[in-house]
Structure formats: structure tokens, C-alpha cells
Amino acid sequence: MPSWSRKALLSFLLPVAGVAAALLLVEYLKRAGFLPVTIPAPSQVWEALLANPRGIGLALAETTANAVRGYAVATVVALGAAFVGALVAALRPAIYNLGVGLSSIPLIAATPLLALWLGNGPLTRSLIAGLASYFPILVGAMQGFRAYETNHMELFHVYSASRWRVFCSLILPSSLPYLFAGLKLAAPLAVLGSLTAELTGADNGIGVLMLSALFSFDTKQVWLTVLISCALSGAGYAIWALIERVVIYWDSPTELKT
Amino acid sequence: MSKDLKVQAASKWFESRGSQVIALDRANLSLPEGGFGALIGPSGCGKSTLLRMIADITPPSSGTILLGNELPSAARRAHAIGFVFQSATLLPWRTVRANISLPLTIVGRGSKRVASRTPDELIELVNLKGFEDSLPAHLSGGMQQRVSIARALVLEPDILLLDEPFGALDEITRQRMNLELLRIWAESGTTALLVTHSIGEAVFMADTVFVMSPRPGRVSLTVDVPLPRPRTLEMMASQAFFDTVNRVRDGLFGAESPQMNDHLASVY
């Protein structure tokens, strides 16, 4: 077996085996009576999922939809702002400072305000998801659009390339590692924003289930919703990590080595 | 479409902490169309600055540079300048063929600048057949630099500027690359100007060697090379080659150390 595929297999199998072992251990400890009532056995959490798959599925769809809508808007706005900053250097500090200012608003405080203005519906919750996630995309794009090498820019200059050509053939490809870093970081934040918005009063969503489980002291349901949130965040990150692998096929000096 | 090069009293100075640093002081040189010139001098003599001014990467502070009857800025906008950087400066996401085609992408394939040779023919010219679809990271330093030379020739430049293109290569590869470069230059008929640190390389390659000296940088001596074309490695053992190397070296070091000169003569 070639060494790279063995490495890939190991990097996949090891975590899976680790998680499985941990689950078995917790299951055993619970059944042997070593664990407090606040920690359910994995099998009990699984049963909680099987008890109401349709309800949980609908809640997951709601939370995901809000996160994805917000994330999409955040991506468009942040990339657009960074693009304008790349074209007009004088606007760069203003865009960055506005970004910092917006991102320092506590989401939990912004939610009631937005609910007041826009109604307590999907629009508000999507916007909160967007607010929660745009900043890493903005920072990644603003850094990335300036990450080209001076040498390369001089080459395009000697060939008297148009600004559009410079952007497409140099600035954009050079920025990809930074763009993906921002997009990867932002995906879990969008899930967080979507959940946070639901906590202040929604009628459907994982956050709603989480809250009601908490108030009825339904330990299994709390754990189930927490685990589903983690899985959703992780999936958001993983999707972009996969896309990055396909898109950045060259050895990039700025890529994080693992 | 080759053009002659005239540099008349070109100067470049920078402001640094309130004081003026003169990088280049009233440099003069001229090169006929189709000629091969070499700029040689120690670090800090302004040879790279001069080359970058000719390429319109940086403007002269005073003086005139003309390519044919055009200013460098006009020549650059007309895509008339080919430039080979010290490092290969290849785009890491483009294959060898796509890197060589980059100038075509920039000026458009319909431009009258497009050379009669296709990227694939240029790949053959620089001996990289079989590597068309490789990424730069998978090539050696010498191969990367050959890609960048092919890229400089995919448009028909009126002038080809080379900034120590083989400086990072070992002596053997470098010698081979120099021969290749001379062959390519002879075939393309473009005017060429090469910046180098090596006396032997300057004399071997050029019709005219411009010796530069530092603080402030200036062209202090112009030496014509009496060797015939095409150049061969055997010429490096000829009396004419030695005499020219000596004249260039005298220009670089003055008569400051005869023993040193003898030592250097044994090196070249």
C-alpha cells in the first residue's frame, strides 16, 4: 500500500476508533453506575433521537436553513466589501473599522432589537447568523487580496495587464488560502448565530429544543441537541475544508500544514 | 521588430530620512537593435535599478530612456518589453504551459505582438518537452528559470531584459543556460540586456559590456567584445576573451592590485 494512502486511512480511522472507544467507555461507566444523572449513556441519547426523529429533523432543518441563509449573505457582503477595498485603497481602513465595530456588538443583545424591527421570524435569525459569521470572511478576504507577491505584481505590470486581469489571474488565486481560512472559521459561527437567535424565542429549531429540554431537565434531550449542534458546526467546517482541498491543488506556502 | 536602446544621463535618487541617496548618477549607454549588452558591477552600483527603469517598473528621477523613439512607459503599454526576473516568478497554480501562455492571456491572442512560435514550440526551445503539464513546484530551479525565459519570448519583445536570471544556479547549469539563451536570442533577433555579477559571463554573452561602479552608481566603462558569433565554449580559452576579461576587470577594480588581477585571470 502506498504510504500516502496508508496515512490518509490512518488519519481517518484513528479518530473514528477513538470516538468509538470513548462512547463504549461512557456506556460501560454509566451502566456500572459510576456516572451522575447529568451524564446519560450514549444509548439513551440515541433512543432520544429515535423517539422523535421527525421533530428533531424539522428543528435541524430550520436551524440549518437560517445558518446557511445568513452565511450566504455574510459571504456576499464580506467578499464585496473586501473587493471594493482591494480596488480603492483609501476605503480600506473604513471598511475594516466598520467590520470591527459591527462584530463587537453582542449578538444576544442584537437579537431582541432585530426582532423588534424585523419581527421574530427567520429573517431576524438569518441576519443574526450572518452577523455572527461575516468577520472572519472579511478579514480573510482583505488579507488575502493583498497576499500576492511583489515580484508577481511587477510581472503583470511589465506586461501592462488590465486591473481586471490582475485581479482574476493574480490577486484572486493568491488570496484563496486566506479566503478558505475565513470561510472555514465562519461556518461554525453561523451555526452559533442561528442557535443564539433561537434562544431568545423562536417556535422551531435546535436551540428551541435545547431550551425546552433544559427547563424540563431532560438530560438526554439536552445532550442530543448539544451533539447535533456540534455535528452541524463541524459539518460546516468540513465542507469548506474539502472544497479547499480540491480548489487549491498547488503547494501553497500560506496553507496551514497538518 | 527589435529596437535600439538609448539611455541618456539617466539618474535615480531616493529620499531616505531627509537625505538624498543617489542610486544611479547620469548613466549613459546605447545598444543597437538586435544587440546584446551586459551590465556588470558590484552590489549597489544601480544595475538592477537601471534595468527596472528601462522596463518602466520604476521611473528615472531625471534623464531620458528611449526604446527606438518610445519612452519605456509607451513601450511597456505596447507589450514591447520582455523581462526575466532574478527569481523565476512563476505562478504556482499554473502549469508550465499555462505560465508560458500568461502573456498571451494578458494581451489577447489576437495581438500582433504574439510571437510566431507557439507556447509548445517554446517549451521545445528551452528543452522542457514532457513537462508541459507540470506545476512549477515540481521543477528544479534551472527548469523554472527556463520556463520564465520561454514566457518572456511568447510575445515578440522589442527588448529582452534579464536581471541576473541564472544567479541562483550552479556553474554547470548556468553555463548551459547561457548557451541556450544565446541560441534563443540569435533566433529571435531581439535586443537583449543582461545584468550579471560574473565578468566571464558578461564577456561570453555580450557584444558590449557596460561596467558600472558604486557610490554613486554610474556606467564607468564601455567595453566592446571582439569575439565572433555564434559564441562557443572554446572561445573562453582564446586570447581575445582573456584580453576583454582583463579590460572589464580593470574597469571594475582599477589598477589597485596587480597580484589580485593575476589571481583572477587564473580563475577565468
Side-chain angles (χ1 to χ4, degrees):
Chain A
M1 190 189 290
S3 69
W4 63 266
S5 70
R6 186 177 307 171
K7 207 175 138 193
L9 202 62
L10 271 182
S11 71
F12 174 72
L13 278 183
L14 273 180
V16 169
V19 170
L23 286 177
L24 280 175
L25 182 68
V26 174
E27 186 76 34
Y28 165 76
L29 289 175
K30 181 70 184 179
R31 290 191 183 190
F34 290 119
L35 294 181
V37 69
T38 49
I39 301 179
S43 61
Q44 292 174 302
V45 177
W46 181 247
E47 277 158 22
L49 173 64
L50 293 185
N52 183 16
R54 193 179 142 72
I56 288 167
L58 284 175
L60 179 60
E62 177 73 19
T63 303
T64 309
N66 288 334
V68 168
R69 275 194 294 261
Y71 186 80
V73 172
T75 304
V76 171
V77 170
L79 291 185
F83 180 73
V84 170
L87 286 185
V88 190
L91 286 178
R92 229 172 270 150
I95 292 170
Y96 187 78
N97 290 333
L98 187 65
V100 173
L102 267 179
S103 80
S104 55
I105 300 174
L107 288 182
I108 204 84
T111 314
L113 266 185
L114 282 179
L116 214 57
W117 293 336
L118 305 170
N120 192 5
L123 178 61
T124 294
R125 289 193 278 281
S126 302
L127 268 179
I128 293 294
L131 270 177
S133 59
Y134 80 93
F135 194 56
I137 308 176
L138 180 71
V139 172
M142 289 191 81
Q143 284 216 334
F145 288 164
R146 306 181 71 190
Y148 56 80
E149 284 179 41
T150 316
N151 260 343
H152 289 150
M153 190 52 95
E154 285 178 358
L155 176 77
F156 279 77
H157 172 79
V158 169
Y159 283 116
S160 186
S162 67
R163 285 163 81 104
W164 179 242
R165 174 56 57 198
V166 172
F167 184 81
C168 294
S169 296
L170 177 60
I171 293 179
L172 191 60
S174 307
S175 73
L176 286 178
Y178 295 86
L179 287 187
F180 278 113
L183 289 168
K184 279 191 291 191
L185 284 177
L189 290 176
V191 174
L192 176 70
S194 184
L195 286 170
T196 309
E198 284 165 5
L199 292 184
T200 57
D203 37 27
N204 190 15
I206 295 294
V208 177
L209 292 185
M210 196 184 284
L211 213 56
S212 69
L214 190 61
F215 287 137
S216 56
F217 209 74
D218 185 345
T219 318
K220 290 167 283 186
Q221 185 82 351
V222 171
W223 274 87
L224 180 62
T225 52
V226 167
L227 289 175
I228 289 176
S229 313
C230 293
L232 188 55
S233 293
Y237 185 96
I239 286 171
W240 281 111
L242 270 178
I243 297 176
E244 179 182 24
R245 284 223 172 165
V246 176
V247 171
I248 304 185
Y249 52 85
W250 62 93
D251 294 338
S252 160
T254 41
E255 207 177 339
L256 291 174
K257 299 281 181 233
T258 50
Chain B
M1 269 203 300
S2 165
K3 280 189 182 146
D4 67 319
L5 167 70
K6 274 194 284 298
V7 177
Q8 289 154 348
S11 298
K12 181 78 183 176
W13 55 79
F14 303 97
E15 298 290 334
S16 167
R17 292 183 201 162
S19 68
Q20 222 175 49
V21 178
I22 299 178
L24 195 66
D25 187 22
R26 285 161 295 169
N28 291 302
L29 67 82
S30 69
L31 204 57
E33 53 174 277
F36 199 121
L39 287 171
I40 188 166
S43 303
C45 69
K47 51 193 190 308
S48 280
T49 305
L50 179 52
L51 203 70
R52 293 160 71 83
M53 288 183 343
I54 297 170
D56 192 40
I57 294 173
T58 177
S61 306
S62 73
T64 316
I65 297 170
L66 288 174
L67 286 156
N69 296 316
E70 281 180 337
L71 290 173
S73 54
R76 180 176 66 80
R77 278 194 295 272
H79 311 290
I81 297 170
F83 200 101
V84 179
F85 292 81
Q86 236 162 345
S87 65
T89 318
L90 304 176
L91 300 178
W93 49 85
R94 283 179 168 250
T95 62
V96 165
R97 186 188 283 116
N99 262 295
I100 292 174
S101 306
L102 178 70
L104 299 178
T105 317
I106 292 175
V107 308
R109 281 161 204 272
S111 162
K112 62 178 165 51
R113 280 279 162 200
V114 175
S116 47
R117 264 192 288 258
T118 64
D120 279 328
E121 286 166 344
L122 283 164
I123 287 169
E124 225 162 303
L125 191 71
V126 296
N127 286 327
L128 283 173
K129 210 166 161 34
F131 294 94
E132 291 90 341
D133 299 315
S134 303
L135 290 174
H138 301 141
L139 304 180
S140 71
M143 291 160 93
Q144 291 185 14
Q145 202 54 276
R146 274 184 275 165
V147 175
S148 79
I149 287 173
R151 179 180 61 195
L153 294 170
V154 75
L155 302 181
E156 229 138 59
D158 292 343
I159 185 161
L160 182 59
L161 304 167
L162 305 122
D163 189 3
E164 290 181 55
F166 310 130
L169 305 183
D170 63 89
E171 188 67 29
I172 300 163
T173 314
R174 187 176 177 144
Q175 198 59 261
R176 193 175 297 146
M177 297 291 298
N178 277 336
L179 284 167
E180 235 168 272
L181 178 59
L182 281 181
R183 182 169 58 80
I184 295 167
W185 164 75
E187 276 186 45
S188 67
T190 179
T191 311
L193 186 58
L194 169 81
V195 164
T196 176
H197 269 128
S198 154
I199 303 176
E201 185 170 278
V203 172
F204 181 69
M205 302 291 285
D207 305 314
T208 314
V209 179
F210 303 98
V211 179
M212 300 186 67
S213 52
R215 283 179 297 279
R218 66 207 137 86
V219 178
S220 49
L221 181 69
T222 299
V223 178
D224 288 318
V225 181
L227 298 172
R229 304 263 179 200
R231 301 277 164 89
T232 61
L233 285 178
E234 293 77 55
M235 287 180 194
M236 294 183 91
S238 70
Q239 191 59 43
F241 181 80
F242 273 110
D243 291 346
T244 316
V245 163
N246 276 328
R247 288 183 59 206
V248 171
R249 197 175 55 244
D250 285 348
L252 280 170
F253 296 98
E256 58 191 42
S257 164
Q259 291 91 346
M260 181 72 175
N261 284 359
D262 288 343
H263 169 69
L264 281 176
S266 68
V267 172
Y268 292 107

